[in-house]
Amino acid sequence: MNWKKFKIFKKTEEKSLNSKSEKPKFEQIKVFKSLPKEQWKTAYNELNKIISENLKEYGFKKKGRKHYRLTNDLLEVIDIDNRGSWTGATDDIEIRIGLVPYCWEGLTNEYYLIGSKKIEEIDNTIRKHFRISEEYILLANYLSEKLISKALPFFEKYNSTKKITSQPYIFPLYSKCGGNDIFKSQFLILFSELKQHKANNVIEIIENEIELHEKLENIEIVNNWKKLKELIERRSWTEIDKILSKIEQIELNKLKIKRVENLPTKT
């Protein structure tokens, strides 16, 4: 890892020392002033732009509401989301952290991040949701500080498929669709194992996907999963590598992110 470029631990230490001596201004606010609905979108855009500027020196690139950083064979994703299910933009902000193998073809349109963690799972002092209020600039800097001091070290700990396969229990394998399965950790495990030429869980995951899509009558998807399963059973890793590499380039092109040299990782 290029420590000069990312400076994670230096920043973290400085922020930690400051937090001991002074409570963040955002946490000192007793009463938040509501913004009218017509200002939510503008405030959200400005808030996310501030976060983007603060994350830029750590190698993150903003596209839409998400912030991406490419390390080794994973994309580290921070999603600052203010979309409502039916009502469009809201004044509610949800923060999601994701580790995504960029050979995952659902990367650029997947609503639920695979390999995701709630922000409060990483830092139990912070809540998952925030409201856009008149104090949104203070909120933007507060969230930036929390992400730099808490999320970035988390990313550093699991920043390659090699690390993911060595500690798969960190990302629960949900074998059936429903409930917490929406976080799709099984896809992180599946593609991490494929990248590392392992088959500990992939057959089970693929069989469950086949079962699901047969019920939904998604014939093309079922056939694709069956072909991949056959390749795994034959241990055709060279052919699997070619398939993944092709998908990787398509997804990186969509995000306008260049492939990086595979960096040495610590185990």
Side-chain angles (χ1 to χ4, degrees), residues 210-253:
I210 291 173
E211 179 184 342
L212 168 65
H213 289 286
E214 282 180 338
K215 291 178 180 178
L216 298 174
E217 298 184 351
N218 294 328
I219 305 303
E220 183 178 356
I221 295 175
V222 169
N223 290 336
N224 288 338
W225 282 122
K226 285 182 176 179
K227 289 177 183 177
L228 181 57
K229 181 184 175 184
E230 291 174 2
L231 291 174
I232 295 168
E233 290 172 337
R234 297 202 307 265
R235 297 298 192 267
S236 302
W237 298 118
T238 300
E239 190 169 349
I240 291 171
D241 286 343
K242 289 180 181 179
I243 293 172
L244 297 184
S245 181
K246 182 178 179 180
I247 298 174
E248 286 174 356
Q249 196 55 59
I250 292 172
E251 295 305 311
L252 292 180
N253 287 343

Side-chain angles (χ1 to χ4, degrees), residues 95-246:
I95 304 167
R96 301 181 294 175
I97 309 297
L99 286 161
V100 186
Y102 51 93
C103 56
W104 166 235
E105 60 185 359
L107 171 62
T108 48
N109 58 16
E110 182 70 14
Y111 182 84
Y112 291 102
L113 292 176
I114 72 172
S116 68
K117 293 288 183 182
K118 299 175 182 179
I119 189 66
E120 64 264 32
E121 289 185 66
I122 299 171
D123 179 5
N124 60 15
T125 69
I126 190 171
R127 61 183 185 271
K128 183 181 178 184
H129 293 273
F130 293 87
R131 294 286 179 185
I132 299 176
S133 64
E134 287 187 12
E135 299 82 8
Y136 67 88
I137 293 178
L138 285 177
L139 174 59
N141 287 306
Y142 172 77
L143 292 177
S144 298
E145 180 179 331
K146 286 291 186 179
L147 290 167
I148 291 167
S149 64
K150 301 297 182 179
L152 269 59
F154 172 81
F155 283 146
E156 174 64 21
K157 191 174 181 180
Y158 305 105
N159 67 358
S160 70
T161 57
K162 183 177 181 180
K163 291 181 179 179
I164 298 298
T165 54
S166 66
Q167 302 182 75
Y169 56 87
I170 299 297
F171 301 92
L173 173 60
Y174 299 107
S175 60
K176 297 293 182 181
C177 187
N180 287 332
D181 189 60
I182 58 176
F183 293 114
K184 298 186 183 295
S185 289
Q186 76 272 19
F187 287 132
L188 173 61
I189 296 171
L190 184 149
F191 287 107
S192 293
E193 287 193 5
L194 293 183
K195 291 289 288 186
Q196 294 300 316
H197 296 177
K198 295 182 178 181
N200 299 330
N201 299 285
V202 292
I203 297 299
E204 176 188 354
I205 295 170
I206 290 174
E207 286 177 346
N208 284 318
E209 288 301 308
I210 291 173
E211 179 184 342
L212 168 65
H213 289 286
E214 282 180 338
K215 291 178 180 178
L216 298 174
E217 298 184 351
N218 294 328
I219 305 303
E220 183 178 356
I221 295 175
V222 169
N223 290 336
N224 288 338
W225 282 122
K226 285 182 176 179
K227 289 177 183 177
L228 181 57
K229 181 184 175 184
E230 291 174 2
L231 291 174
I232 295 168
E233 290 172 337
R234 297 202 307 265
R235 297 298 192 267
S236 302
W237 298 118
T238 300
E239 190 169 349
I240 291 171
D241 286 343
K242 289 180 181 179
I243 293 172
L244 297 184
S245 181
K246 182 178 179 180

Side-chain angles (χ1 to χ4, degrees), residues 9-24:
F9 296 106
K10 181 178 178 182
K11 283 279 185 179
T12 303
E13 182 179 359
E14 291 172 355
K15 297 296 184 181
S16 179
L17 290 174
N18 290 339
S19 64
K20 290 179 181 178
S21 60
E22 182 181 353
K23 193 174 183 180

Side-chain angles (χ1 to χ4, degrees), residues 48-64:
N48 208 11
K49 184 177 180 181
I50 292 171
I51 293 175
S52 174
E53 290 298 316
N54 289 329
L55 292 174
K56 187 180 294 183
E57 69 172 292
Y58 297 95
F60 282 88
K61 179 178 180 179
K62 179 178 177 294
K63 184 176 177 62

Side-chain angles (χ1 to χ4, degrees), residues 19-64:
S19 64
K20 290 179 181 178
S21 60
E22 182 181 353
K23 193 174 183 180
K25 290 183 179 179
F26 180 77
E27 291 185 355
Q28 296 177 32
I29 300 173
K30 302 296 183 183
V31 179
F32 293 92
K33 300 176 182 178
S34 299
L35 277 176
K37 185 175 181 179
E38 59 270 18
Q39 295 182 26
W40 290 350
K41 183 176 180 180
T42 300
Y44 164 79
N45 288 338
E46 188 171 346
L47 175 144
N48 208 11
K49 184 177 180 181
I50 292 171
I51 293 175
S52 174
E53 290 298 316
N54 289 329
L55 292 174
K56 187 180 294 183
E57 69 172 292
Y58 297 95
F60 282 88
K61 179 178 180 179
K62 179 178 177 294
K63 184 176 177 62

